[in-house]
Amino acid sequence: MKNKLRTITVDEVIYAYKLEMRIADRMCINELRVFRKELKVHPLNISILTWDDPIMGSPLNTGIVLGHAGCPKGEVYNLNYPKRIREWILYGQSLGWDGSQTVEVEDGLAAMRTIGYFTAALEPKGLD
């Protein structure tokens, strides 16, 4: 069986993480779980609800251009990029997460706005 945990090093600390997504009714929930590699007990859990397209897929899984306070013209945002995982780890650390306690981020879009991203293009679209 394939190991679904990937690793990343941030500030000389090794983290393991897993990305999952669930799709229902043209909505997509992207879930990111990050652990300190040696602990794997108290994760940083992030849930991001967005739309899903039957052809394109989830915008956070396939990539979407998002504006950012530091780059208003935009850059590709894809949760599969290590740069994005690093941003989430640093965000978790700003909330006090250090791997010794579980931290839940239930509204990932609100957290992305806090980080500086313009998330209007990710808001779940109403069902017609």
Side-chain angles (χ1 to χ4, degrees):
M1 181 175 278
K2 186 176 175 183
N3 182 2
K4 292 186 178 184
L5 290 177
R6 302 179 200 174
T7 60
I8 186 170
T9 303
V10 177
D11 298 331
E12 299 181 20
V13 177
I14 300 173
Y15 297 91
Y17 67 94
K18 178 168 60 169
L19 288 167
E20 295 180 322
M21 76 175 178
R22 292 180 283 136
I23 299 170
D25 296 326
R26 297 189 339 203
M27 301 293 174
C28 181
I29 299 174
N30 290 278
E31 296 175 325
L32 171 64
R33 294 174 57 99
V34 182
F35 307 86
R36 285 188 66 145
K37 185 161 172 111
E38 70 277 2
L39 299 176
K40 291 187 188 174
V41 178
H42 299 289
L44 169 64
N45 291 321
I46 299 155
S47 294
I48 308 170
L49 175 66
T50 187
W51 50 270
D52 180 69
D53 184 85
I55 296 171
M56 188 178 105
S58 167
L60 295 180
N61 196 39
T62 58
I64 187 168
V65 176
L66 292 180
H68 186 275
C71 182
K73 286 189 175 184
E75 59 183 278
V76 175
Y77 191 98
N78 186 323
L79 279 176
N80 292 296
Y81 292 177
K83 176 181 180 179
R84 305 304 172 209
I85 304 304
R86 181 179 191 283
E87 288 175 338
W88 282 112
I89 291 170
L90 295 175
Y91 178 75
Q93 290 173 345
S94 75
L95 297 176
W97 179 74
D98 62 3
S100 65
Q101 77 286 1
T102 299
V103 170
E104 301 278 343
V105 177
E106 293 181 8
D107 188 352
L109 288 181
M112 288 176 71
R113 287 189 291 276
T114 300
I115 294 170
Y117 287 98
F118 306 135
T119 62
L122 295 173
E123 296 293 332
K125 298 173 182 172
L127 299 175
D128 298 326

